[in-house]
Amino acid sequence: MSQSLTLRRPDDWHLHLRDGSMLRAVLPETTRHFARAIIMPNLVPPVVTAADARAYRDRILAALPEGADFTPLMTLYLTEDTDPEDVAAAQASGLVHAVKLYPAGATTNSASGVRNFDKVRPVLEKMAEIGLPLCVHGEVTDADIDIFDREAVFIDRVLDPIRRATPGLRVVMEHITTSNAVDYASAQDDTLGATITTHHLVINRNHILAGGIKPHYYCLPVAKRETHRRALRRAATSGAARVFLGTDSAPHTDANKLLPCGCAGCFTAPNTLSILAQVFEEEGALHHLEAFTSLNGPAFYGLPPNEDTVTLTKTGATYPTQIATDDGPVTVFDPGFPLDWAVT
Ligand code: DOR
Ligand code: ZN
């Protein structure tokens, strides 16, 4: 008899859905397995105001596949002009569940992000007051800081000072990639959560750079050396309450990935659950998978866990290598090993 595993239906606490035809193409890949997702606001133009978020939510709902049961949890893109009262009203109406901080220039469509952190102080204070989480892309962008050090430097120079200056502010360290971030997150109180992506549990920087450059493994923050991947695996599979799944599934067409200056992002929505089951099994921690995918995230965001379930069976799983969009194919993340666990 094949082994099986039933989990409360997972949520994705960091997801890029894009817009238009890309949204329609990638949305079913998430709604098939996930009940809710924190939706990233880095569109062009970005989702800055409550009105923007409401309109984007309506476009997502209109693109849902027939019969899908999925709730998009909207976020606002923090700019130096963000109005604290607009943010508070967006939360009070139940529309918005977090505000996203991109340091300007850190990643895809981050040009409208924050340069001077003093300018967003009133918004952060309002968020601390109303308990609205700040989701943080934690990398400095200074040209003199090595790209592999940008996360660790951000913690010292930006994140920790912000948290000290804004007591009570709830912060999610998103897509952490280093043992430095794991150590920092573990040492904090329950105002701090951390998400880990699927791909950072699977690849290290060799996967991107050794034996030829692999653009489909290039994402931001960039994957680090193996010791860091090991630390992320220990954190994700530990069952620790403030660590949860945020896939950062970030679709780009192959035409935009395979360029002299290609886009950052791994598209993991289709096969994330199969990959995670295998990672957790390898680490002897299948009993902690549900905490990571389905319990810890809702607890941090103050939402109930989902009532329905998904079942995985160890029968082998296959996924398409690409999905089609009107703008051309998007390549699905290749974990580099055959997948044992199928979502049934
Ligand atoms: O790899 C990434 N892709 N990291 C990000 O921070 C943004 C994302 C995207 O939007 O493509
Ligand atoms: Zn992201």
Side-chain angles (χ1 to χ4, degrees), residues 18 199 215-220 248 250-252 257 263-267:
R18 317 300 189 201
H199 47 286
H216 292 300
Y217 288 148
Y218 172 61
C219 63
L220 288 170
D248 199 11
H252 294 278
K257 289 288 289 178
C263 294
C266 296
F267 179 52

Side-chain angles (χ1 to χ4, degrees), residues 276-292:
L276 288 176
Q278 201 143 332
V279 166
F280 276 66
E281 185 176 39
E282 279 167 20
E283 300 294 325
L286 273 179
H287 57 295
H288 285 155
L289 181 59
E290 185 179 48
F292 183 68

Side-chain angles (χ1 to χ4, degrees), residues 16 18 42 107-108 137 175 219-220 248 250 252 264-265:
H16 297 270
R18 317 300 189 201
N42 61 333
T107 188
T108 309
H137 183 111
H175 42 51
C219 63
L220 288 170
D248 199 11
H252 294 278

Side-chain angles (χ1 to χ4, degrees), residues 133-189:
L134 180 71
C135 292
V136 177
H137 183 111
E139 290 190 286
V140 294
T141 53
D142 315 48
D144 62 329
I145 304 294
D146 188 276
I147 190 164
F148 292 100
D149 297 332
R150 288 179 176 192
E151 181 173 283
V153 172
F154 183 89
I155 294 169
D156 291 343
R157 287 195 192 167
V158 184
L159 178 62
D160 196 57
I162 284 180
R163 291 187 64 242
R164 285 177 193 281
T166 327
L169 180 66
R170 299 178 65 70
V171 170
V172 182
M173 295 174 73
E174 298 201 282
H175 42 51
I176 60 171
T177 61
T178 57
S179 61
N180 314 63
V182 169
D183 292 346
Y184 181 82
S186 337
Q188 308 306 310
D189 63 15

Side-chain angles (χ1 to χ4, degrees), residues 218-234:
Y218 172 61
C219 63
L220 288 170
V222 71
K224 310 297 191 296
R225 63 169 64 238
E226 177 64 4
T227 49
H228 295 293
R229 187 185 72 106
R230 301 288 335 160
L232 296 174
R233 279 204 173 212
R234 282 193 298 277

Side-chain angles (χ1 to χ4, degrees), residues 41-208:
N42 61 333
L43 307 181
V44 189
V47 178
V48 173
T49 64
D52 298 338
R54 183 165 285 109
Y56 185 31
R57 182 180 65 177
D58 290 346
R59 297 199 296 281
I60 295 169
L61 294 176
L64 280 178
E66 187 77 29
D69 176 13
F70 177 76
T71 306
L73 306 173
M74 306 312 290
T75 63
L76 299 179
Y77 185 120
L78 182 62
T79 74
E80 293 178 1
D81 300 318
T82 295
D83 172 6
E85 294 312 321
D86 185 57
V87 171
Q91 185 211 32
S93 71
L95 171 69
V96 154
H97 292 264
V99 171
K100 174 72 189 235
L101 165 63
Y102 288 107
T107 188
T108 309
N109 303 333
S110 60
S112 316
V114 178
R115 288 184 170 74
N116 178 350
F117 291 91
D118 289 336
K119 293 206 174 149
V120 295
R121 171 135 306 290
V123 183
L124 301 184
E125 274 160 13
K126 176 55 81 175
M127 289 170 61
E129 183 191 318
I130 64 180
L132 184 63
L134 180 71
C135 292
V136 177
H137 183 111
E139 290 190 286
V140 294
T141 53
D142 315 48
D144 62 329
I145 304 294
D146 188 276
I147 190 164
F148 292 100
D149 297 332
R150 288 179 176 192
E151 181 173 283
V153 172
F154 183 89
I155 294 169
D156 291 343
R157 287 195 192 167
V158 184
L159 178 62
D160 196 57
I162 284 180
R163 291 187 64 242
R164 285 177 193 281
T166 327
L169 180 66
R170 299 178 65 70
V171 170
V172 182
M173 295 174 73
E174 298 201 282
H175 42 51
I176 60 171
T177 61
T178 57
S179 61
N180 314 63
V182 169
D183 292 346
Y184 181 82
S186 337
Q188 308 306 310
D189 63 15
D190 63 8
T191 59
L192 190 98
T195 61
I196 301 181
T197 76
T198 308
H199 47 286
H200 288 111
L201 296 173
V202 174
I203 61 167
N204 63 33
R205 62 197 199 178
N206 279 13
H207 291 84
I208 313 170

